[in-house]
Amino acid sequence: MTVELLDAYFHQNSLVRQHLESYNKFVAFGIQQVIDRVGVIEPNIENYKLKLGKVRIEEKPMMMEADGSRRPITPMEARMRDLNYATPIFLEIIPIVNGVERRGFPEVFIGELPVMIKSKLCHLEGLNREQLIEKGEDPEDPGGYFIINGSERVLVSIEDLAPNRIMVSREKDGTLTTSKVFSMRFGFRARCVAERNHEGVVNVSFPAAPKDMRLTTALRALGLEKNEDIIAAFKDSDKSEIMNDILLNLEVDETKNREEAMEAIGKKVAPGQAREYRAKRVDVLLDTYLLPHLGVEPGDRLAKAYYLCKMAEKGMKVAYKMVPEDDKDFYGNKRIKLAGNLMEELFRYAFQFLVKDVAYQVERAFARGRRLVVQTIVRPDALSERMRYSMATGNWIAGQTGVSQLLDRTNHLSSVSHLRRIISPLSRKHPHFKARDLHGSHWGKLCPNESPEGPSCALVKNMALLCEITTGESEKPVEELLRASGVAIEDVSHAAEPMAVEEMTVAEVGKSEKPEKAEKGGKK
């Protein structure tokens, strides 16, 4: 009976379904979202800009022959001729001159997108056994990889700590309690920390922030000016230990209102500069770099203040042993980046270069007095070459290496194992004993046996046989539905930003347990 159930399960579910679903979601929604977030290209020319519209991807991979003709290409032909299995991307670019849109221009070819084998864009999608054999393919091949310059490349899944979630831990022999959250918004990741020392003083740190910024100073700058407002922002301020820490932080803070707090921060981030410049720097600091997942507008500052209070309060409770510290190795505190997430990161990175190149080409053509024709100012290689380089070498954005690997073709089992592999971003040179240990939350998700020997032991893992990884969804529609139903949402820990699109949840078949991610560097 068990064998029959397993046969039925694998007949309906591919072993690399997680990669195929993730890539299909990236093609359907991710590319357009990246383009929409750019919106408009504004070169340094008065009354001229380019509006980015809808993107269109060719349904099946194409190639251009030496005579300029275009025709479909199959995966086997790409392997035999050392070609890229990719499909053209076309984008609607509308010039806006003096505020008037100049429509009527056709779509512009902006580059090529590598196609995953057996995804919705692939020629092999939906073919039966006989049709696959006719095209020279192995009917047992699960797909889920790419063909770059004739080589089969697989994007290995990466585990990382869950973003937008407060994680509290004790460091330096328990004398320092840190409340960390990796705030992520549209690919930008900011590490925001509230540190409580052994005396009870809490400091806040985040990218570009001055050193030793007091919690209360940040709260006053964000809009909680009065001491009564700050005390009321802590949910358990009625407990004596929490109240003592709050009063201590209010006492050591030298600022008394928002203006003094802004001035104190401004003197540290822009010393010696004019008052107006310092004020602008502080505004950018608080809006852009502090908890960006809650928003980047001035109206979001109060939510950030309450969130900082929640981070500090959780750190105080851990310091007083009211609640246990968070377990970074618990797989529910991690997320998995699949091929679709990695491709979205790469496309966002490459598209930024395309936008800069288009702006430069427009400015150069304008300076030389040439007629501005959209088709001539877009260079597709600016996008295609950067994506192809990362896919061919494995050198990903943010200095990551080994993301794209040559598919192991020793035998069929080794190929499937490679496609279901999960790697940790932790350094192989350090022990990381706790990170390498087998954790109880791995049951049903990770294979306890399959891991390489040597320095990569337990940092390179493999999915369990019946483990499934599902793509995440945006939290915003859920929050809007709850608000429409009259539910008061007290927790502001997950703002209405669609960051869950870039996350993954891991669930064993028949279970609904949520997933995982690992911290980069450092002890567990």
Side-chain angles (χ1 to χ4, degrees), residues 248-262:
L248 173 63
N249 282 276
L250 290 173
E251 184 178 347
V252 298
D253 186 18
E254 299 177 355
T255 62
K256 302 302 178 186
N257 52 48
R258 182 177 180 275
E259 287 73 20
E260 292 182 8
M262 297 284 282

Side-chain angles (χ1 to χ4, degrees), residues 229-249:
D229 296 336
I230 294 176
I231 295 173
F234 287 82
K235 184 178 180 181
D236 292 330
S237 58
D238 54 335
K239 296 181 179 179
S240 58
E241 296 90 344
I242 305 297
M243 179 58 76
N244 288 339
D245 276 12
I246 298 173
L247 294 177
L248 173 63
N249 282 276

Side-chain angles (χ1 to χ4, degrees), residues 126-138:
L127 299 185
N128 58 32
R129 187 180 184 89
E130 290 72 20
Q131 290 172 326
L132 289 172
I133 295 174
E134 184 181 346
K135 290 186 176 293
E137 298 290 332
D138 179 5

Side-chain angles (χ1 to χ4, degrees), residues 189-239:
R189 182 181 174 114
R191 180 178 180 269
C192 303
V193 182
E195 294 181 336
R196 179 194 180 275
N197 61 20
H198 64 284
E199 296 177 349
V201 178
V202 181
N203 292 330
V204 177
S205 65
F206 52 94
K211 189 178 180 181
D212 298 330
M213 181 193 293
R214 301 291 189 201
L215 170 67
T216 46
T217 302
L219 294 179
R220 295 190 202 279
L222 291 169
L224 294 179
E225 295 190 61
K226 299 179 181 179
N227 292 348
E228 297 80 6
D229 296 336
I230 294 176
I231 295 173
F234 287 82
K235 184 178 180 181
D236 292 330
S237 58
D238 54 335
K239 296 181 179 179

Side-chain angles (χ1 to χ4, degrees), residues 172-343:
K172 297 183 179 179
D173 299 327
T175 59
L176 188 68
T177 306
T178 61
S179 301
K180 289 180 285 190
V181 57
F182 294 96
S183 180
M184 185 178 286
R185 174 186 173 87
F186 302 153
F188 172 66
R189 182 181 174 114
R191 180 178 180 269
C192 303
V193 182
E195 294 181 336
R196 179 194 180 275
N197 61 20
H198 64 284
E199 296 177 349
V201 178
V202 181
N203 292 330
V204 177
S205 65
F206 52 94
K211 189 178 180 181
D212 298 330
M213 181 193 293
R214 301 291 189 201
L215 170 67
T216 46
T217 302
L219 294 179
R220 295 190 202 279
L222 291 169
L224 294 179
E225 295 190 61
K226 299 179 181 179
N227 292 348
E228 297 80 6
D229 296 336
I230 294 176
I231 295 173
F234 287 82
K235 184 178 180 181
D236 292 330
S237 58
D238 54 335
K239 296 181 179 179
S240 58
E241 296 90 344
I242 305 297
M243 179 58 76
N244 288 339
D245 276 12
I246 298 173
L247 294 177
L248 173 63
N249 282 276
L250 290 173
E251 184 178 347
V252 298
D253 186 18
E254 299 177 355
T255 62
K256 302 302 178 186
N257 52 48
R258 182 177 180 275
E259 287 73 20
E260 292 182 8
M262 297 284 282
E263 185 67 20
I265 299 173
K267 288 181 179 178
K268 292 182 179 180
V269 297
Q273 301 294 329
R275 188 185 185 95
E276 294 78 11
Y277 178 79
R278 291 202 303 263
K280 289 182 180 179
R281 286 282 294 132
V282 175
D283 288 339
V284 172
L285 194 71
L286 297 177
D287 291 336
T288 306
Y289 296 103
L290 176 60
L291 300 171
H293 76 282
L294 295 177
V296 293
E297 300 296 331
D300 301 314
R301 293 184 184 178
L302 202 57
K304 296 181 180 182
Y306 286 117
Y307 194 95
L308 284 177
C309 292
K310 184 175 180 180
M311 292 175 62
E313 185 174 18
K314 190 173 181 181
M316 295 173 188
K317 289 181 178 179
V318 171
Y320 286 114
K321 298 183 179 179
M322 296 180 182
V323 297
E325 60 180 310
D326 292 303
D327 185 2
K328 298 174 185 174
D329 300 307
F330 174 62
Y331 231 50
N333 291 328
K334 298 182 182 180
R335 296 291 182 272
I336 307 296
K337 289 182 181 178
L338 295 177
N341 307 97
L342 296 170
M343 287 296 295

Side-chain angles (χ1 to χ4, degrees), residues 23 26-27 31 57 85-87 89 111-115 121 343 387:
Y23 180 83
F26 159 68
V27 171
I31 294 178
I57 303 173
Y85 192 59
T87 186
I89 308 175
E112 291 185 335
L113 176 70
V115 173
L121 296 180
M343 287 296 295
M387 294 190 69

